[in-house]
Amino acid sequence: MARGRIRARIRRSHLYTFACLRPSTVEGDEPHPIQGPGYSRRVHCNASHMHKKQPLKYSSNYISTTRYNVITFLPKAFFEQFRRVANIYFLVAAICSLFEFSPFSPTSMIAPLAFVLGVSMAKEAVEDWRRFIQDLKVNARKVSVHKGGGVFGRKQWRKIRVGDVVKVEKDKFFPADLLLLSSGYEDGLCYVETMNLDGETNLKVKRSLEVTLPLDSDESFKDFAGVIRCEDPNPSLYTFVGNLEYDRQIYPLDPSQILLRDSKLRNTAYIYGVVVFAGQDSKVMQNSTKSPSKRSSVEKKMDRIIYVLLATLLAVSIISSMGFFIQTKYQMPDWWYLEPQSPQSCYDPAQAATSGFCHFVTALMLYGYLIPISLYVSIEVVKFLQAIFINQDINMYDEESGTPAQARTSNLNEELGQVDTILSDKTGTLTCNQMDFLKCSIAGTAFGVRSSEVEIAAAKQMAIDPAEQESVASSRLGASEIGLERVVTLADEQGPKPSIKGFSFEDSRLMGGNWMRESNADMILLFLRILAVCHAAIPEVNEETGDITYEAESPDEIAFLVAAREFGFEFVRRTQSSVFVRERYPSSGNPVEREYKILNLLDFTSKRKRMSVIVRDEHGQIMLMCKGADSIIFERLAKNGRTYEESTTRHLNEYGEAGLRTLALAYKPLDDAEYTAWNNEFVKAKTSIGVNREAMLEKVSDVMERELILVGATAVEDKLQKGVPQCIDKLAQAGLKIWVLTGDKMETAINIGFACSLLRQGMKQICISAMNSDANPDVKKAVKEDISMQITNASQMIKLEKDPHAAFALIIDGKSLTYALEDDMKHQFLRLAVDCASVICCRVSPKQKALVTRLVKEGTGKTTLAIGDGANDVGMIQEADIGVGISGVEGMQAVMASDFAIAQFRFLERLLVVHGHWCYKRITNMICYFFYKNIAFGLTFFYFEAVTGFSGQSIYDDWDMILFNVFVTSIPGHLARRV
């Protein structure tokens, strides 16, 4: 395969040391103990025919997300319809109409019921048909599958079986859960985008076993055979236990070799893999739980009204039948002229009790217009049309992404007009999840004069003029230099927006090579080189335009590389062990391409909160470059490396208050002897086998990442979505309470709150934070008591507030929330939160989001709406009464779990106010109309019968009158009467 051999191969074994690199599998490696319950799966590689019969007959790759199929549609749909009390009544009435004592013909009772059930079931069928069409499209996708003899052919996804060897090409989705055998890179590495699984846009790195690396062409699979023994299907996305029996050896498998269905291959020409889990057994399908059945409060209220009407109907029928019983037994013998020509039990004085029962059934049917069967038709029609209006609303169409609003279910439309509390995610929902390099601090000097959107929006909301804003900023900073940067002027607001994605920096001191004129030009040079070299990104060159774009595990890294390019240090390519940077200097006309040899790369993890790269430049100098969280970097600085610590700390605090994401940059020069001694220890730890390998690597790496010299700090901005402050402001004016659940730190969340109009000038803030705690139970008890005391004091402060117009905002961090959500404190916390106009929860986990949503929903008993854009918001969306998913860049997990989908947060206002209020008002008006009309109509006829003794059978003997009654109590009849 020429394409497989003529390509730029990157041997990343020198780079990834923590998450991705593991020691070579040798004969001494111990396989996993695969035995016992839960570990019974056996997969014969390249022999899918062995999985067509028991006991190895596994699930096919066909998937279905529909609620019904051809066989189950009728029983399931009927079950759903007859959960409604009114439908059960009309079914009983239709059955009774088959008997001779019925006042109606069977047609007149069965036809309206069949019409109502038909309309409701047709709506269910249409919605399920759409899901079926989506499944068809997915199942019809094609991928290359090994047919035998080293020949691959295209096959539909639904025909793939466990054991098949498949070839997936760049930018294609994996059709099933695969064991990675080899890739377009000669060391078996590939990049995977898991956006559809966990909502993360950053790329993951997977690596195959070294023993399967030679399987890098179609012909190499001609005689390939092996057996995989592994765990049974389960929903855990991040674990996998198994062994590969290949070439008379057993090799242990782990999650780094597993490619999950619905993730995408990126930055890799192709991969070969063998299917381990297919179809419903795949991990993504194991995680796809059915959405919970949600019923609107209007529907619940309508059920209560139906119960009232049924009780009234029973009372009227019982009274009427009692009267008929008395008349039949005591008066009918004297009414010789009413004697029936043929004996009938319904009119036989000798069987008065039976006659009374017959009349009771007859009365239930006669007064049946008390139960508004056409009300269900009217409401179903309104909901169905309302869903169409939402989907076709041009004012809710996002032109940038080409995404319209989508009502994924029409059962909750009217709930939108009853929302009391909105619980929202921040990143990707209130903000765009687009990182822009905005400011930086180098050698104690702040650069960047553009104000962040958070600062601009906060200044607007606080209604401070530019002069006052400068005064406030200066007092906050204590330095006129930074204070001048904080000035929000009309020119800043109305100035031209940057056309470079990821770069919003403005400062003439650094742009255009002017940095060389600064007094600390050597530190600036080092700062820019760290930006261009210290990363794990991959450049992609557009063959037509020659432009370079970057793919990285973090959007911050992309912003750093774009900034370095604009400053004159462009990262252009990466080889097996080197990074090439094209550097431009004003003194020389042509750019200079420099090579930095990558000796080691200590990757970023959530535990380390930093990454480092050890490089050797063209002059032979070895240097460690490091970037990470300021708290981590500052504690590792050398005594002579703290020259700029005070000023940099001041700048970092300012950037955090402006809602920016910050990182500190540092370096450390190394001599050859020092590096060689350390590298020997590092290689020894890297090649060790055992459970302590990661700990040994961390310990050795920590030794190197000490005695650093501080260079500066960066600040990137996650921009607000358009119209977010105005939308939140209008929703707050309408009386809706808004909670923001975010993973950001408290300072950033507070400034985002001001920018989003969630916090306003004059609003009193209540901040609840937990002191540091450890595993000591006594310390945890003290922390819990402290949080309880903070909540109690805050509640008391609100009660003692004398100003009736005073507004409070509650800000609580994740640690405090852990204790506040416990059973003995959660109601106390909820009472405090309900008394506040705004609530911001910081540093919260996905589980805490769902728990908070459940607490608000169950504790207040009012309608809640949750809105989010990522997989970490699914629990919150499903827990709320109404879930809204943002169709953004964080995958489709939130959208698939939601009841409604929109493209921008600002569309929420129109969804709630315009559509929700109209639908709620319309349906409640219909219910009230039906309720009062039917009560009055029924009591009138009951009074008429009681006075005249006339049963009204002759009036209702014709079924046309029944259909007429259905018509006049429906929407067309209502409109006709108004006309």
Side-chain angles (χ1 to χ4, degrees):
M1 298 294 289
R3 184 178 60 176
R5 296 186 174 89
I6 307 175
R7 56 184 179 268
R9 299 186 176 183
I10 303 175
R11 179 175 289 277
R12 300 297 297 276
S13 57
H14 300 285
L15 306 182
Y16 285 86
T17 60
F18 289 97
C20 304
L21 181 69
R22 61 194 179 286
S24 303
T25 305
V26 295
E27 218 173 297
D29 287 349
E30 295 183 1
H32 295 295
I34 305 298
Q35 58 184 352
Y39 298 94
S40 62
R41 196 173 186 89
R42 189 166 79 251
V43 177
H44 293 270
C45 303
N46 208 20
S48 60
H49 61 277
M50 299 184 65
H51 303 106
K52 292 184 179 181
K53 44 186 171 181
Q54 298 296 347
L56 300 180
K57 187 176 182 180
Y58 301 130
S59 173
S60 68
N61 204 40
Y62 178 86
I63 65 164
S64 175
T65 60
T66 59
R67 297 180 60 185
Y68 312 103
N69 57 40
V70 177
I71 299 175
T72 63
F73 175 72
L74 287 178
K76 284 188 176 181
F78 276 123
F79 173 77
E80 290 293 330
Q81 295 305 316
F82 287 109
R83 291 174 63 183
R84 295 172 173 174
V85 180
N87 287 343
I88 295 178
Y89 163 77
F90 285 109
L91 176 63
V92 174
I95 294 174
C96 292
S97 68
L98 300 175
F99 297 96
E100 59 180 8
F101 55 78
S102 171
F104 309 129
S105 64
T107 305
S108 63
M109 293 300 298
I110 296 175
L113 177 63
F115 176 73
V116 171
L117 296 181
V119 170
S120 300
M121 292 172 64
K123 184 176 75 70
E124 288 285 330
V126 169
E127 293 180 353
D128 207 54
W129 177 259
R130 294 172 181 170
R131 290 189 284 265
F132 175 70
I133 294 300
Q134 291 178 348
D135 291 343
L136 281 182
K137 292 180 180 178
V138 172
N139 290 321
R141 291 177 181 173
K142 292 186 177 182
V143 68
S144 296
V145 181
H146 185 229
K147 294 183 176 181
V151 178
F152 280 71
R154 307 289 288 178
K155 183 183 291 187
Q156 291 184 346
W157 280 20
R158 62 185 179 88
K159 296 182 179 179
I160 296 175
R161 300 199 63 88
V162 172
D164 279 335
V165 175
V166 300
K167 180 180 180 180
V168 182
E169 299 178 343
K170 181 180 177 182
D171 295 329
K172 300 296 183 181
F173 291 97
F174 300 122
D177 291 352
L178 310 176
L179 170 65
L180 176 61
L181 298 175
S182 62
S183 75
Y185 294 112
E186 59 187 16
D187 59 350
L189 177 144
C190 73
Y191 296 90
V192 177
E193 181 185 87
T194 60
M195 189 170 61
N196 287 340
L197 301 181
D198 53 17
E200 297 183 10
T201 56
N202 53 310
L203 302 182
K204 308 294 191 304
V205 181
K206 302 288 186 178
R207 183 189 296 273
S208 68
L209 293 174
E210 291 189 8
V211 69
T212 59
L213 290 181
L215 302 172
D216 60 351
S217 64
D218 292 358
E219 295 81 4
S220 61
F221 287 94
K222 181 178 180 180
D223 300 318
F224 170 68
V227 178
I228 300 172
R229 300 180 185 271
C230 64
E231 61 187 15
D232 294 335
N234 62 78
S236 178
L237 294 174
Y238 307 106
T239 61
F240 181 82
V241 177
N243 294 328
L244 172 63
E245 299 176 6
Y246 176 66
D247 198 17
R248 299 182 180 182
Q249 297 291 333
I250 300 178
Y251 305 92
L253 304 175
D254 57 56
S256 64
Q257 287 108 35
I258 300 301
L259 307 174
L260 300 182
R261 179 191 175 109
D262 280 351
S263 52
K264 181 187 289 188
L265 182 65
R266 297 289 303 276
N267 298 102
T268 310
Y270 59 85
I271 64 96
Y272 290 100
V274 60
V275 177
V276 180
F277 300 117
Q280 299 296 333
D281 289 343
S282 61
K283 290 184 179 289
V284 66
M285 295 305 297
Q286 292 279 312
N287 277 274
S288 61
T289 57
K290 292 185 178 296
S291 299
S293 179
K294 297 180 180 180
R295 298 184 67 198
S296 66
S297 58
V298 168
E299 187 174 349
K300 296 176 183 177
K301 183 184 297 183
M302 189 169 63
D303 281 347
R304 291 194 292 269
I305 292 175
I306 295 298
Y307 282 121
V308 172
L309 294 176
L310 277 174
T312 305
L313 174 61
L314 288 173
V316 169
S317 300
I318 290 173
I319 295 173
S320 177
S321 61
M322 290 175 62
F324 188 80
F325 167 78
I326 295 173
Q327 285 185 330
T328 302
K329 185 171 183 177
Y330 298 105
Q331 299 180 16
M332 188 169 288
D334 300 330
W335 296 348
W336 55 268
Y337 51 86
L338 291 180
E339 182 180 351
Q341 296 179 357
S342 58
Q344 294 183 6
S345 59
C346 292
Y347 302 98
D348 189 356
Q351 301 181 22
T354 304
S355 300
F357 176 76
C358 291
H359 187 276
F360 173 74
V361 176
T362 303
L364 285 177
M365 300 175 67
L366 276 175
Y367 306 141
Y369 43 74
L370 278 175
I371 310 300
I373 186 172
S374 58
L375 175 60
Y376 286 105
V377 179
S378 300
I379 290 179
E380 292 293 342
V381 171
V382 168
K383 289 182 176 182
F384 183 75
L385 295 177
Q386 180 68 9
I388 295 177
F389 293 157
I390 293 175
N391 296 341
Q392 297 182 353
D393 191 342
I394 192 64
N395 291 315
M396 296 179 67
Y397 176 76
D398 185 58
E399 295 182 358
E400 182 177 350
S401 62
T403 305
Q406 182 182 9
R408 292 181 50 80
T409 175
S410 59
N411 294 331
L412 301 173
N413 294 347
E414 69 275 16
E415 285 286 274
L416 296 170
Q418 307 172 71
V419 173
D420 177 79
T421 304
I422 298 176
L423 300 102
S424 173
D425 177 40
K426 182 191 76 67
T427 304
T429 303
L430 301 179
T431 60
C432 298
N433 201 23
Q434 174 188 326
M435 305 303 170
D436 281 6
F437 189 92
L438 191 67
K439 297 183 180 183
C440 61
S441 172
I442 308 175
T445 303
F447 295 92
V449 297
R450 178 185 288 271
S451 297
S452 68
E453 289 187 354
V454 170
E455 293 174 291
I456 297 173
K460 285 182 179 180
Q461 296 303 318
M462 296 174 67
I464 299 179
D465 57 32
E468 269 187 90
Q469 175 67 13
E470 181 177 358
S471 175
V472 171
S474 299
S475 64
R476 184 181 300 176
L477 291 169
S480 59
E481 177 189 9
I482 307 299
L484 290 174
E485 293 182 50
R486 289 292 307 262
V487 176
V488 181
T489 62
L490 190 61
D492 288 331
E493 186 178 342
Q494 297 179 349
K497 296 181 179 180
S499 57
I500 303 173
K501 184 178 180 180
F503 188 73
S504 299
F505 182 86
E506 286 186 5
D507 196 324
S508 58
R509 292 175 292 173
L510 290 185
M511 300 300 295
N514 294 333
W515 58 269
M516 296 189 68
R517 302 188 182 93
E518 296 292 316
S519 58
N520 52 2
D522 55 339
M523 294 299 292
I524 298 177
L525 174 63
L526 183 58
F527 179 90
L528 299 179
R529 283 180 173 171
I530 293 176
L531 288 183
V533 175
C534 186
H535 57 78
I538 298 294
E540 282 192 342
V541 181
N542 189 317
E543 297 179 357
E544 296 180 358
T545 62
D547 296 334
I548 298 177
T549 58
Y550 304 108
E551 292 286 350
E553 293 190 19
S554 168
D556 301 66
E557 281 197 345
I558 298 177
F560 295 151
L561 291 173
V562 172
R565 181 185 64 195
E566 297 303 314
F567 292 139
F569 291 74
E570 183 179 18
F571 166 52
V572 290
R573 59 193 176 96
R574 184 192 292 274
T575 63
Q576 294 180 5
S577 59
S578 299
V579 166
F580 292 85
V581 178
R582 189 178 296 146
E583 301 179 357
R584 291 184 175 88
Y585 303 95
S587 56
S588 59
N590 298 324
V592 179
E593 187 172 289
R594 300 189 184 278
E595 178 184 4
Y596 297 88
K597 293 187 178 297
I598 304 296
L599 303 180
N600 302 90
L601 191 147
L602 312 180
D603 206 359
F604 181 92
T605 65
S606 58
K607 181 179 179 181
R608 286 166 42 80
K609 296 183 180 179
R610 65 190 183 277
M611 76 164 294
S612 300
V613 58
I614 302 177
V615 300
R616 186 192 299 271
D617 61 18
E618 295 176 339
H619 302 291
Q621 174 64 45
I622 301 177
M623 181 182 299
L624 178 139
M625 300 178 178
C626 182
K627 65 182 179 184
D630 53 280
S631 59
I632 300 296
I633 298 298
F634 286 172
E635 70 182 17
R636 286 168 167 74
L637 295 178
K639 290 184 179 180
N640 62 344
R642 300 180 180 270
T643 307
Y644 313 112
E645 182 180 7
E646 182 178 353
S647 55
T648 304
T649 301
R650 187 171 67 250
H651 297 161
L652 285 169
N653 292 335
E654 166 59 18
Y655 297 155
E657 292 177 357
L660 304 178
R661 297 160 61 108
T662 59
L663 284 178
L665 275 61
Y667 79 103
K668 176 183 178 181
L670 302 171
D671 55 44
D672 289 348
E674 180 184 5
Y675 170 73
T676 301
W678 174 86
N679 191 53
N680 291 335
E681 295 295 325
F682 184 76
V683 172
K684 186 185 300 182
K686 186 173 63 174
T687 56
S688 65
I689 300 174
V691 295
N692 296 325
R693 176 176 175 271
E694 295 295 329
M696 294 174 60
L697 280 171
E698 174 60 31
K699 183 178 180 180
V700 175
S701 300
D702 186 70
V703 171
M704 174 57 71
E705 295 170 325
R706 294 283 179 179
E707 302 299 314
L708 304 176
I709 300 174
L710 182 65
V711 177
T714 61
V716 298
E717 177 186 21
D718 190 2
K719 292 182 176 294
L720 290 174
Q721 288 194 25
K722 296 179 181 179
V724 167
Q726 295 81 358
C727 178
I728 291 183
D729 189 53
K730 291 179 180 179
L731 293 175
Q733 291 178 17
L736 277 69
K737 295 181 179 179
I738 302 174
W739 294 35
V740 171
L741 312 178
T742 176
D744 288 334
K745 56 185 179 181
M746 187 172 290
E747 295 79 7
T748 303
I750 290 175
N751 283 277
I752 292 291
F754 275 110
C756 296
S757 299
L758 197 65
L759 304 178
R760 296 176 290 278
Q761 187 183 16
M763 183 178 285
K764 298 181 180 180
Q765 297 180 14
I766 301 174
C767 297
I768 298 178
S769 58
M771 58 184 181
N772 293 329
S773 61
D774 52 27
N776 192 328
D778 295 332
V779 176
K780 288 187 175 182
K781 183 178 180 181
V783 172
K784 185 175 181 179
E785 292 177 353
D786 177 64
I787 295 172
S788 179
M789 183 62 64
Q790 293 184 55
I791 295 176
T792 302
N793 294 338
S795 300
Q796 193 68 19
M797 181 179 67
I798 294 177
K799 291 180 181 178
L800 298 177
E801 178 60 46
K802 298 181 180 179
D803 185 4
H805 302 290
F808 294 86
L810 174 63
I811 301 102
I812 183 171
D813 61 14
K815 290 183 179 179
S816 303
L817 200 59
T818 302
Y819 297 98
L821 291 176
E822 293 183 359
D823 293 338
D824 57 344
M825 199 187 300
K826 64 181 181 181
H827 295 293
Q828 181 185 4
F829 163 69
L830 180 63
R831 285 193 295 270
L832 171 63
V834 168
D835 291 336
C836 297
S838 301
V839 180
I840 300 177
C841 300
C842 314
R843 297 295 191 190
V844 294
S845 65
K847 183 178 180 180
Q848 285 179 322
K849 289 184 179 182
L851 292 176
V852 170
T853 305
R854 181 185 302 174
L855 176 63
V856 177
K857 180 180 69 174
E858 297 178 353
T860 63
K862 297 180 179 179
T863 304
T864 58
L865 180 146
I867 178 170
D869 75 315
N872 58 331
D873 303 316
V874 169
M876 175 178 68
I877 288 173
Q878 292 187 339
E879 193 65 51
D881 294 299
I882 310 170
V884 176
I886 297 288
S887 303
V889 298
E890 290 291 327
M892 293 297 290
Q893 291 286 67
V895 173
M896 296 302 293
S898 65
D899 305 301
F900 299 90
I902 55 178
Q904 300 286 344
F905 183 89
R906 59 190 171 92
F907 293 145
L908 187 65
E909 175 193 349
R910 184 170 181 86
L911 184 67
L912 293 177
V913 178
V914 178
H915 295 283
H917 177 72
W918 181 89
C919 190
Y920 173 66
K921 182 178 179 181
R922 181 61 182 157
I923 291 180
T924 50
N925 285 346
M926 281 194 300
I927 293 176
C928 292
Y929 166 75
F930 278 104
F931 178 74
Y932 293 115
K933 172 189 177 299
N934 288 0
I935 286 288
F937 198 27
L939 292 179
T940 299
F941 267 82
F942 174 66
Y943 176 75
F944 173 75
E945 181 187 16
V947 172
T948 63
F950 178 64
S951 65
Q953 180 174 350
S954 60
I955 295 179
Y956 286 100
D957 198 30
D958 194 287
W959 70 277
D960 291 331
M961 294 300 296
I962 298 300
L963 295 181
F964 176 76
N965 185 51
V966 172
F967 171 77
V968 298
T969 55
S970 62
I971 290 180
H974 181 56
L975 295 178
R977 287 192 302 278
R978 295 189 63 179
V979 173

